[in-house]
Amino acid sequence: MATEAATHTHHDPGHEDHQHYQHWIWKYVFSSDHKTIGIQYGLTGLVFLFFGFCLMLVMRWQLARPDTVVPWIGPMMAHLETWLNMHHPLAADGSPGHWFWLRALTDIFPGGKLSPDGYNSFGAMHGTIMVFFGIVPVAFAAFGNFVVPLQIGAPDMTFPRINMASYWSFFISCIFMSLSFLVPGGAAKSGWTSYPPLSGIADQGQGIFPLGMEHYIHPFWNGQTMWVTGMVFNITASLLGSVNFIATIIQLRAPGMTWMRLPFFVWAQFVTAFLLLLAFPPLEAAGVFQLMDRAFDTSFFMPTGLIVSQQLTHFSGGGSPILWQHLFWFLAHPEVYVLILPGIGMVAEVIACNTRKPLYGYKAMVGAIFVLGFLSFVVWAHHMYMTGMGAKVAGFFQTTTIIISIPSVILLTALLLSLWGGSIRFNTPMCFAASFLPMFGIGGLTGIPLAFNAVDLYLHDTYYIIGHFHYVVAPGTIFAIFAGIYHWYPKATGRMLNEFLGRMHFWGSLIFINGVFFPMFLQGMAGMHRRWYDGGATYDRLSGAVVWGKTGIEWNGFMSTSAFLLGAVQLLFIWNFFWSMKYGRKASDNPWDATTVEWDTPTPPGHGNFTHPIAVYRGPYEYSVPGADKDFSPQTEPPGDRNKPPSGAPERTLHEVEVAHS
Amino acid sequence: MQIPYEIQARPDTGLYNAKLGIWLFLASEVMLFGGLFSGYVFLRMGADPGYWPHGLLDVRIGALNTAILIASSVTVVLAWASLKMRKFRDYKLWMGVSILCGAIFLFVKLTFEWPVKFEHFGAFIKKDALGHYEQYLGNAHLAEKKLDPRVEISGHLHEVEIQAEGVDHAKLETFLKAHDLEAKPDAHDPKVLTIEGRHLTPNVAAKLERVPGVKVEAFVLGLDPVNAAPTDPESDKPHFWYKGPTEHLGKIERKDIEFYSAFAPKHSPYFAIYFTITGLHGLHVLAGVIVMIYLWLPITGGANMFRKNPEHLANRVEVVGLFWHFVDLVWIFVFPIFYLL
Amino acid sequence: MFEWLDLNKKMGMLPNASEHGYLIDHMLQFCHWFMAVLFVGWTAYFLYTIVRFHHSRNPKANYHGVQSKASAHIEFSVVLVEAVLLLGFALPLWGKRVNPNEWPDKDKAVRVHAVGEQFAWNFHYPGADNVFGRQDVNLVGANNPLGLDPTDPAGKDDFVSKNELHLVNHKPAVIEITSKDVIHSLSLQHMRMCQDAIPGSKIPMWFRPIREGEFEIVCAQLCGAGHYAMKAMMIVEDQKKFDEWSAEQFKMQHPDAQPAVAPVAAK
Ligand code: HEA
Ligand code: HEA
Ligand code: CUA
Ligand SMILES: [Cu+2]
């Protein structure tokens, strides 16, 4: 990366010109411009969000109507299967020949119904995709890439080519994950947590319910191994990205953009980048271990005397399954804050802009987000309470987990109080941003009982937990993302999203998403557990209990209906998203009358972003300043006298400034 | 469009971009190897007594490689310094030396240290059969010295004894041809065939076992010094690797073996973590060497840039140097935990 | 506690059936009230502000916003409550659970080894001598799932019950949990108890049932395609029924042995 870093200096003078005669491939596909890369990340991420949602819709059908034919996809697969049997029957040894990739699909839906393994692999992939291929790419990579350099007044990222490398590494990981649905044995099916030994023996033909193809599952091209490999690429992408973000925020702040003048979103991205930078490598190590276990029969995670279906396995043993859990959660807890912090950042931007007043307690929020960042490294074992902990260890992690909830409380409180005294505009972004607060509130608050080991004895692995974290990520982060999209879409495309469709999208999402997730708390309290293929039919007593007038089983129906309606509402958004690109109302350079620097660019911004040297003169949220002529004072607007150097500006001659932005 | 602070440092941070970048990258590298080393600790703590080998690797080679890396760390600094003093010839010299060191390091790993292990045979004995092999294990002796018991017999595979009857001869023949081995009836025991040959590695033996009809009776190996003279105080804390297997033959019944394999990753968590960590470290060395070559070769780097903008070249070398020091530092941890402890 | 105050019950929490369980229930109760108060309070505030400060009602925003220090007090009280929950309840509660001195005397307890496998639970009882027989992975087979050593005298009176865990009411139960293949988790929700079954390690837990009845045991860790159906039953009964049951299990599994000496419980 060292060389990468420097290869940009000293373009010959001609450079500027041939920039303009670029072939479109270099302009839109292999571009190193942070805006293009941001949009690439955004679109890919959104597509995966949608895909992950579709997987879940199939699962939700299965939960509501255990072993019935899944609509639309089910019959399609059933026909495909009969067609294959007719024209390309399995060989004597059960091998499907060249048609394995179609077989892989039909095996998920034997006779049009979702198979148990199919359910598990959809669940695992839903989790993986939503977290690592949906939210992180959109909330962190896309918005970070597009917005951060603009907000700090930088011409681009510090290392544009590494930035491009990051996206393409991510792209490779996407290909691995997607193709893993098409290999014999199907995609990874050991949960997004991939706990060994299950993940170690998976797809090695040792399960009790084999798909009838285990004896030719490929040693490398199988679901779990491709999952690990994909993750390694995904992690690499995040690492490259976060190095870039941090360096950019430290090095490329425009003159006058002092630390305490940074928009809160930039702070959020800054901390998030550090979380990724430091928490991901241990998972990369764990990934390498698991790859070794699967590809070279090592025993990192395989204990001695492992017996599968009454047979001693071929592993030497001596490893430890718990090691994986430690390495995984050491990442995965910080990861959950990676999921939420950019969201909170976007919400802060939108709220400040649409309340037309400064954020309440900006400094406190910055402090809180840092504390949150540090603490998130010392709470991971609260996901492992059931592995048998002594009083001391458990005590430590319960304490840290409770302490970490306090900065979150501070952030939420600050945002809530920021509403007071505002002149609130309820446009679509604000609707999403405002409803984020109570929704995240529910998710966060339900985290508190989980923090206590003793209480977790009852709640662990129940739908209560599914409810907890979906409230923080779905009506939490996803709403924040929607707020961000509606807010910055004009800057990216030059057109506004349709307001009416936006409102419909908002109200629909708000209502139905609660319809999906709130009953989970009831189911959880009633003792229904997650990862249940049949939605709890097996446990007739637990799931038969009546809560709020419905049995747990019946609630499944209600939730699934909501989920499908939620999906329908998303179609409005997708339509709006693409329709507005062409036909949306033209947007001015600063359609929201916002103060932050990104709005001081042409819409959409060209290569190099700014048309004139940028200098920053004031804090990020100077709205409704007493005595000012308009209700917003942009950061880049000189206070009266232009020649006076901005206070707190680093020593950079105006000449340098010109160079930087020419 | 031109990105600020690619060469000169930003006044208020005192850093140029690439330098900050490499420091951040190294921070994540620290976490990566931190994760790997914590894996080492975890596995070692969890290992049953006797199942974590001690003093198996050749300290002398390890020490040699350590010296080489440290030396190269010094020479990169010299290369950077000579650029700062604008002495291009010295730069070429010192950079060349650094590259050479890195190359030697990799050469030693790939041509000696790793390959021999894949030829070496180790068999863990079932708990209840340990008694039969006391003469190779010397556990009584270890017990009174309050040392961990020995549970493994290792050495160089000489021959494999298989049951004569019930063998599918056609299949066996083709297998033996493929791996040019030969089978001859055993002198004292007609019921036994002995298979031998130069290419009889543990992996081949494992494959042999999978040939239909073949049932392995026993393995005969040239024992390692530890098993040849288990009660010799020398063996209490052995560094037996470089001594190589002895001529002292030992025989292990198949039915007494819990698990056997070459000294490959799958042999035990010890070798698993050994190959993983040294392998990843090796990749880092390789990457460093490649970048240094890029900055050193007349065509790609060096001269041209030196003429245009020597400071820029110096920056690049400084950044590579930082990375190289880190690779060195990691080895400083690897050496003791695998070779000495 | 008044019926209408019982949020847990309102949310459909399963009735408690163990001695320590009510402590956990109280704590969860406390949490839920705490959460409810915060949520209702804040939501009320939230709804009020978005109406009160809608730009149609308040065209000019106030640059200074909130002046009062109320938020500090709210945050402080949240911290206080959480501290009480943690130090007052959580830590002592868990400390008591795992404190060796609290463990019941082995001879006065029902002892069981719970061994998970894809996709069933094996409950291994020590039998009359209250000593578990020797096990060996090399003996494991279809008809000897736990690899019990038939030659071991201690194992002569052992018996294994598949997917049925019998316990004696009011008598402490000590269950050591492990697994043969992948990680499972023995979740006894009515007992407010749960423990992962991790291959390679045997982890004990204990509790005292206080209610007779049949309860469903859930496997609380994804363990493969059959995870959802890995159900077992826990039967809590009086001493007499338990003895009869164990005697009959013993007969079934050792048909050739003479009638069992009085099983463990009788001691
Ligand atoms: C963005 C993601 C995210 C966030 C932010 C959190 C936040 C928290 N989480 Fe959560 N958690 C997950 C994602 C997240 N979690 C996931 C994905 C899992 C499951 C993983 C798996 O097993 O698959 C999980 C699981 C999980 C567990 C493990 C449960 C188990 O498996 O047994 C625990 C236990 O301690 C826990 C605790 C907490 C705590 C204490 C917080 C705290 O940080 C919460 C702090 C926030 C608050 C306290 C809210 C404050 C708000 C107010 C006070 C104002 C309210 C305002 C209004 C109502 C208007 N979480
Ligand atoms: C970021 C994380 C994230 C997100 C956003 C979601 C979103 C959703 N999740 Fe999931 N979920 C997980 C992470 C997430 N989930 C994890 C980690 C698990 C555990 C997996 C495991 O057990 O291992 C899980 C498990 C899980 C379960 C439990 C399954 C089981 O245990 O058996 C269920 C059940 O209902 C569920 C449902 C949903 C639903 C209905 C949504 C909905 O909220 C989805 C709503 C989605 C949208 C609203 C976005 C739609 C996208 C667009 C509209 C983009 C538009 C596209 C273009 C413009 C191109 N999820
Ligand atoms: Cu066993 Cu899940
Ligand atoms: Cu967590």
Side-chain angles (χ1 to χ4, degrees):
Chain A
M1 79 183 290
T3 48
E4 281 284 10
T7 38
H8 255 249
T9 40
H10 280 263
H11 300 299
D12 42 293
H15 178 76
E16 284 314 314
D17 320 350
H18 69 65
Q19 274 288 342
H20 299 132
Y21 309 126
Q22 259 180 338
H23 189 285
W24 63 271
I25 284 264
W26 302 110
K27 202 126 167 269
Y28 299 111
V29 183
F30 295 104
S31 163
S32 65
D33 181 299
H34 72 99
K35 297 180 293 302
T36 318
I37 293 174
I39 290 166
Q40 288 172 325
Y41 256 119
L43 289 177
T44 322
L46 283 171
V47 169
F48 270 94
L49 261 186
F50 193 62
F51 178 47
F53 189 21
C54 295
L55 293 177
M56 183 44 63
L57 287 179
V58 175
M59 292 169 71
R60 279 303 338 172
W61 173 272
Q62 166 66 23
L63 287 170
R65 301 244 183 296
D67 71 298
T68 58
V69 172
V70 184
W72 190 64
I73 182 99
M76 201 157 79
M77 288 300 156
H79 288 121
L80 197 57
E81 196 176 5
T82 42
W83 180 82
L84 280 171
N85 292 339
M86 230 185 297
H87 298 81
H88 309 279
L90 294 175
D93 69 345
S95 111
H98 295 322
W99 294 83
F100 68 86
W101 54 280
L102 269 184
R103 284 281 177 191
L105 289 180
T106 55
D107 280 319
I108 300 174
F109 298 94
K113 301 174 183 177
L114 186 62
S115 74
D117 269 324
Y119 182 87
N120 286 347
S121 85
F122 276 27
M125 293 309 272
H126 164 79
T128 309
I129 285 174
M130 284 302 202
V131 172
F132 298 106
F133 294 78
I135 300 292
V136 174
V138 176
F140 175 70
F143 283 98
N145 260 307
F146 190 91
V147 177
V148 166
L150 293 176
Q151 278 194 328
I152 64 175
D156 201 322
M157 287 281 184
T158 40
F159 312 124
R161 293 200 191 168
I162 292 182
N163 207 14
M164 180 169 77
S166 162
Y167 175 76
W168 288 106
S169 171
F170 168 68
F171 192 80
I172 295 173
S173 71
C174 294
I175 293 187
F176 266 94
M177 286 293 168
S178 318
L179 288 190
S180 71
F181 282 93
L182 300 179
V183 296
K189 49 183 90 56
S190 311
W192 83 292
T193 48
S194 276
Y195 280 3
L198 182 59
S199 58
I201 62 175
D203 296 335
Q204 300 199 346
Q206 310 212 17
I208 294 281
F209 290 63
L211 293 172
M213 48 162 61
E214 60 274 21
H215 50 282
Y216 65 86
I217 283 180
H218 189 279
F220 179 81
W221 298 106
N222 62 65
Q224 188 60 35
T225 311
M226 287 175 79
W227 184 90
V228 186
T229 322
M231 283 310 294
V232 170
F233 279 101
N234 184 290
I235 292 169
T236 313
S238 296
L239 292 180
L240 296 179
S242 38
V243 168
N244 228 327
F245 281 33
I246 299 172
T248 307
I249 295 171
I250 293 181
Q251 290 289 86
L252 300 193
R253 281 167 293 121
M257 180 58 90
T258 58
W259 288 102
M260 276 306 148
R261 287 177 180 174
L262 287 175
F264 186 70
F265 177 68
V266 176
W267 279 115
Q269 291 285 351
F270 190 64
V271 174
T272 309
F274 267 107
L275 293 186
L276 286 173
L277 187 75
L278 301 179
F280 246 143
L283 184 64
E284 192 146 26
V288 173
F289 290 164
Q290 193 176 101
L291 206 54
M292 296 284 288
D293 274 5
R294 294 187 56 79
F296 303 106
D297 296 339
T298 55
S299 296
F300 283 105
F301 304 129
M302 301 298 166
T304 311
L306 197 67
I307 295 169
V308 176
S309 42
Q310 317 304 358
Q311 274 180 0
L312 211 49
T313 47
H314 60 289
F315 294 101
S316 75
S320 156
I322 297 303
L323 173 58
W324 167 270
Q325 295 189 21
H326 281 295
L327 291 172
F328 180 86
W329 289 116
F330 184 85
L331 156 85
H333 185 86
E335 177 71 19
V336 304
Y337 290 99
V338 169
L339 297 177
I340 200 65
L341 292 186
I344 293 184
M346 290 188 257
V347 168
E349 294 300 302
V350 174
I351 284 185
C353 174
N354 292 298
T355 51
R356 316 304 296 158
K357 64 181 282 300
L359 284 179
Y360 173 89
Y362 169 84
K363 282 202 174 64
M365 288 174 77
V366 172
I369 207 170
F370 267 90
V371 177
L372 201 59
F374 284 119
L375 286 176
S376 65
F377 285 99
V378 290
V379 301
W380 77 89
H382 66 215
H383 296 273
M384 299 166 61
Y385 283 148
M386 300 306 128
T387 54
M389 283 187 191
K392 285 197 186 58
V393 184
F396 173 80
F397 284 104
Q398 296 181 73
T399 312
T400 51
T401 304
I402 280 308
I403 295 176
I404 204 177
S405 71
I406 290 156
S408 315
V409 174
I410 293 175
L411 286 174
L412 248 282
T413 314
L415 287 173
L416 282 159
L417 293 185
S418 300
L419 299 174
W420 189 270
S423 165
I424 306 174
R425 289 188 315 212
F426 275 102
N427 44 29
T428 315
M430 185 57 177
C431 290
F432 276 106
S435 55
F436 169 94
L437 301 174
M439 291 297 110
F440 177 79
I442 298 177
L445 289 171
T446 48
I448 291 173
L450 304 178
F452 304 121
N453 198 331
V455 176
D456 199 37
L457 284 172
Y458 184 78
L459 295 174
H460 174 67
D461 202 65
T462 62
Y463 264 95
Y464 194 94
I465 283 158
I466 302 287
H468 153 64
F469 73 77
H470 280 90
Y471 261 99
V472 272
V473 294
T477 309
I478 288 198
F479 273 24
I481 287 176
F482 283 141
I485 292 179
Y486 283 95
H487 185 65
W488 278 297
Y489 186 92
K491 182 52 67 183
T493 62
R495 293 178 183 272
M496 312 292 283
L497 280 162
N498 178 296
E499 190 63 18
F500 174 74
L501 287 174
R503 297 302 177 86
M504 305 280 289
H505 176 219
F506 165 70
W507 285 111
S509 301
L510 182 63
I511 293 163
F512 296 128
I513 216 162
N514 281 286
V516 183
F517 294 122
F518 196 80
M520 288 186 177
F521 295 122
L522 306 178
Q523 291 187 321
M525 286 296 281
M528 291 177 70
H529 281 246
R530 55 193 290 193
R531 296 162 168 177
W532 270 356
Y533 165 66
D534 64 355
T538 313
Y539 296 85
D540 40 8
R541 298 169 188 230
L542 287 179
S543 326
V546 176
V547 202
W548 290 18
K550 284 183 189 294
T551 64
I553 297 270
E554 287 162 353
W555 275 115
N556 277 337
F558 176 84
M559 292 152 70
S560 299
T561 318
S562 312
F564 277 93
L565 291 171
L566 178 62
V569 175
Q570 300 315 313
L571 298 180
L572 292 176
F573 171 68
I574 298 177
W575 167 260
N576 194 354
F577 190 88
F578 291 110
W579 183 83
S580 304
M581 274 185 196
K582 236 177 161 3
Y583 308 105
R585 186 160 51 81
K586 277 229 181 313
S588 69
D589 285 355
N590 185 359
W592 311 113
D593 292 342
T595 53
T596 41
V597 180
E598 78 267 33
W599 302 104
D600 191 356
T601 58
T603 291
H607 194 57
N609 298 342
F610 299 95
T611 47
H612 58 93
I614 289 294
V616 173
Y617 301 91
R618 56 177 66 74
Y621 305 118
E622 293 300 292
Y623 290 99
S624 315
V625 182
D629 46 3
K630 47 188 180 354
D631 76 341
F632 68 106
S633 325
Q635 290 189 274
T636 52
E637 190 175 270
D641 178 7
R642 239 181 200 293
N643 317 342
K644 193 155 49 61
S647 57
E651 290 78 42
R652 256 172 89 182
T653 64
L654 253 175
H655 164 70
E656 263 184 299
V657 178
E658 244 103 51
V659 175
H661 302 292
S662 57
Chain B
M1 185 257 309
Q2 142 97 52
I3 306 220
Y5 309 122
E6 281 195 328
I7 300 167
Q8 84 280 36
R10 173 172 172 138
D12 59 342
T13 62
L15 294 161
Y16 57 87
N17 298 344
K19 193 164 179 178
L20 176 59
I22 195 70
W23 276 116
L24 291 168
F25 176 70
L26 291 185
S28 83
E29 289 281 86
V30 168
M31 293 307 285
L32 174 64
F33 281 93
L36 294 167
F37 285 130
S38 62
Y40 169 92
V41 173
F42 213 94
L43 292 171
R44 183 169 179 160
M45 294 295 160
D48 297 341
Y51 279 84
W52 194 269
H54 290 282
L56 178 152
L57 302 177
D58 184 346
V59 179
R60 298 180 309 178
I61 296 182
L64 173 70
N65 265 349
T66 314
I68 293 174
L69 271 194
I70 294 178
S72 70
S73 255
V74 178
T75 52
V76 223
V77 177
L78 292 173
W80 175 69
S82 21
L83 271 183
K84 279 293 192 183
M85 293 180 288
R86 303 291 183 260
K87 296 202 182 116
F88 192 66
R89 295 176 145 286
D90 298 10
Y91 158 72
K92 293 286 273 192
L93 171 66
W94 291 124
M95 202 57 161
V97 176
S98 319
I99 295 170
L100 195 65
C101 292
I104 296 173
F105 178 93
L106 289 174
F107 182 80
V108 172
K109 270 248 165 311
L110 296 177
T111 59
F112 179 73
E113 276 207 285
W114 278 20
V116 279
K117 293 188 173 52
F118 288 96
E119 306 276 296
H120 211 69
F121 179 90
F124 293 95
I125 307 301
K126 284 185 182 156
K127 295 243 177 345
D128 46 14
L130 284 170
H132 312 341
Y133 299 92
E134 181 60 15
Q135 79 266 32
Y136 304 142
L137 300 172
N139 280 328
H141 161 81
L142 291 172
E144 75 199 30
K145 285 210 168 186
K146 304 220 167 11
L147 294 166
D148 285 350
R150 282 196 198 100
V151 294
E152 180 183 21
I153 301 175
S154 62
H156 195 51
L157 199 52
H158 272 235
E159 53 192 46
V160 181
E161 298 184 353
I162 68 172
Q163 273 182 9
E165 63 260 19
V167 179
D168 176 339
H169 284 282
K171 287 219 169 61
L172 183 57
E173 273 315 311
T174 46
F175 177 85
L176 295 178
K177 271 215 175 41
H179 298 85
D180 66 60
L181 304 168
E182 52 184 315
K184 56 167 91 94
D186 187 284
H188 349 284
D189 186 349
K191 285 204 289 317
V192 174
L193 284 174
T194 62
I195 312 256
E196 52 193 12
R198 264 182 39 263
H199 302 287
L200 186 56
T201 63
N203 294 349
V204 172
K207 285 215 201 80
L208 172 66
E209 259 194 307
R210 275 183 249 114
V211 174
V214 169
K215 188 159 179 322
V216 171
E217 280 290 316
F219 297 103
V220 180
L221 41 146
L223 295 167
D224 281 326
V226 229
N227 298 116
T231 53
D232 175 352
E234 264 292 289
S235 309
D236 289 353
K237 199 147 188 10
H239 283 282
F240 68 79
W241 189 259
Y242 52 90
K243 294 185 201 144
T246 59
E247 282 315 299
H248 189 307
L249 290 189
K251 179 171 182 179
I252 317 172
E253 302 284 323
R254 179 68 181 93
K255 64 172 176 10
D256 297 338
I257 294 180
E258 185 179 276
F259 180 86
Y260 78 87
S261 96
F263 279 8
K266 72 169 180 216
H267 167 275
S268 61
Y270 172 82
F271 276 114
I273 193 78
Y274 164 80
F275 279 104
T276 311
I277 289 186
T278 52
L280 282 174
H281 177 264
L283 282 179
H284 281 71
V285 176
L286 184 64
V289 169
I290 291 173
V291 176
M292 289 197 285
I293 290 178
Y294 174 84
L295 292 179
W296 183 74
L297 279 184
I299 350 125
T300 47
N304 220 340
M305 177 177 281
F306 183 76
R307 239 178 288 103
K308 273 223 201 76
N309 183 339
E311 193 53 23
H312 185 196
L313 183 61
N315 285 352
R316 286 184 168 195
V317 172
E318 182 181 19
V319 166
V320 179
L322 284 169
F323 176 76
W324 196 249
H325 291 325
F326 172 79
V327 174
D328 190 4
L329 182 73
V330 170
W331 182 259
I332 300 294
F333 281 93
V334 173
F335 178 57
I337 68 171
F338 284 110
Y339 290 77
L340 302 181
L341 293 178
Chain C
M1 191 170 5
F2 302 113
E3 189 55 24
W4 62 273
L5 278 177
D6 192 341
L7 283 184
N8 292 346
K9 195 136 191 272
K10 284 226 173 336
M11 293 178 76
M13 190 181 198
L14 296 168
N16 165 41
S18 76
E19 189 184 35
H20 72 281
Y22 76 97
L23 291 168
I24 291 176
D25 293 7
H26 282 177
M27 186 166 171
L28 185 54
Q29 188 73 258
F30 198 113
C31 289
H32 277 140
W33 270 106
F34 171 55
M35 291 149 64
V37 169
L38 271 177
F39 182 74
V40 171
W42 275 115
T43 311
Y45 160 88
F46 174 73
L47 295 174
Y48 174 73
T49 39
I50 61 178
V51 176
R52 161 90 165 65
F53 293 103
H54 192 278
H55 67 84
S56 60
R57 264 177 227 74
N58 192 36
K60 183 94 186 70
N62 170 358
Y63 180 80
H64 301 289
V66 180
Q67 294 305 338
S68 83
K69 286 274 149 285
S71 69
H73 302 306
I74 300 172
E75 281 158 9
F76 180 74
S77 40
V78 170
V79 173
L80 202 68
V81 177
E82 288 188 345
V84 171
L85 276 169
L86 182 71
L87 305 172
F89 295 76
L91 299 187
L93 201 46
W94 188 251
K96 204 166 179 309
R97 275 285 96 210
V98 292
N99 176 352
N101 314 336
E102 299 278 340
W103 283 72
D105 169 358
K106 279 189 169 16
D107 305 327
K108 297 200 177 52
V110 180
R111 297 181 62 202
V112 189
H113 283 179
V115 183
E117 69 179 290
Q118 289 173 321
F119 298 100
W121 288 102
N122 304 290
F123 297 108
H124 177 190
Y125 288 77
D129 61 357
N130 206 16
V131 183
F132 291 96
R134 175 176 166 283
Q135 285 163 268
D136 179 350
V137 288
N138 299 303
L139 296 176
V140 171
N143 45 15
N144 184 2
L146 297 188
L148 292 170
D149 177 356
T151 63
D152 176 20
K156 285 258 182 287
D157 56 356
D158 292 16
F159 60 87
V160 179
S161 146
K162 217 173 187 79
N163 290 335
E164 258 198 30
L165 171 64
H166 283 246
L167 298 175
V168 179
N169 197 8
H170 295 301
K171 188 166 183 178
V174 178
I175 309 181
E176 290 177 49
I177 297 153
T178 182
S179 163
K180 285 159 67 177
D181 39 37
V182 305
I183 300 180
H184 307 266
S185 191
L186 188 77
S187 169
L188 313 172
Q189 290 204 295
H190 299 82
M191 300 297 165
R192 309 296 188 249
M193 260 303 170
C194 184
Q195 171 61 56
D196 283 357
I198 300 163
S201 46
K202 219 181 208 119
I203 309 168
M205 74 180 187
W206 76 277
F207 57 89
R208 186 194 296 269
I210 55 170
R211 228 158 36 75
E212 294 192 5
E214 297 193 353
F215 310 97
E216 282 173 332
I217 300 176
V218 182
C219 172
Q221 185 61 261
L222 179 65
C223 53
H227 163 68
Y228 72 97
M230 185 168 162
K231 165 172 143 180
M233 291 307 278
M234 169 171 56
I235 292 100
V236 180
E237 56 205 357
D238 60 28
Q239 186 70 60
K240 191 164 148 304
K241 286 224 194 61
F242 179 81
D243 295 343
E244 288 163 10
W245 174 77
S246 18
E248 151 198 351
Q249 291 294 317
F250 174 79
K251 269 208 211 60
M252 270 170 18
Q253 292 176 32
H254 308 272
D256 44 1
Q258 46 284 91
V261 258
V264 45
K267 281 225 203 82

